Amino acid sequence: MFIGKINITLKESVLDPQGQAIMKALHDLGEEQIEDVRIGKYIEVKIQAHSQQEAEEKLEQYCKQLFVNPVIETYKFQVLKL
């Protein structure tokens, strides 16, 4: 059994209104050192696989087919053995 941990964020070229709202709120609180905020998604998936490589290949497939919109999002993942 493996666990895949996926971090998905908007591409740098895509406007992030939620991140901008949080950055404004931080500035309103006096936190002027904050230059940018980007909001993303975090997904964990438990995967039955025979090897680390097989689990990584499956997770890559899931990301490309379901979890990530490649037009506006980028992603990184790691696979750990449970």
Side-chain angles (χ1 to χ4, degrees):
M1 174 83 68
F2 295 89
I3 187 163
K5 297 182 176 194
I6 309 155
N7 286 298
I8 303 168
T9 56
L10 292 171
K11 289 183 175 180
E12 287 296 320
S13 61
V14 176
L15 180 64
D16 184 351
Q18 189 176 16
Q20 292 298 307
I22 290 174
M23 185 174 70
K24 182 185 178 321
L26 287 166
H27 286 180
D28 290 347
L29 292 172
E31 300 298 329
E32 294 296 326
Q33 71 277 11
I34 303 296
E35 294 181 13
D36 193 25
V37 176
R38 305 292 288 178
I39 302 298
K41 298 182 276 188
Y42 174 74
I43 301 171
E44 283 190 2
V45 180
K46 290 184 181 174
I47 304 170
Q48 286 285 351
H50 292 65
S51 68
Q52 176 96 15
Q53 181 178 349
E54 180 185 350
E56 289 173 0
E57 289 170 358
K58 285 183 175 193
L59 194 57
E60 181 77 32
Q61 181 182 2
Y62 302 152
C63 286
K64 288 181 177 177
Q65 292 180 343
L66 183 63
F67 299 146
V68 178
N69 178 346
V71 175
I72 62 169
E73 296 174 323
T74 61
Y75 65 97
K76 296 178 190 175
F77 68 81
Q78 70 181 96
V79 175
L80 304 171
K81 186 167 178 61
L82 289 180

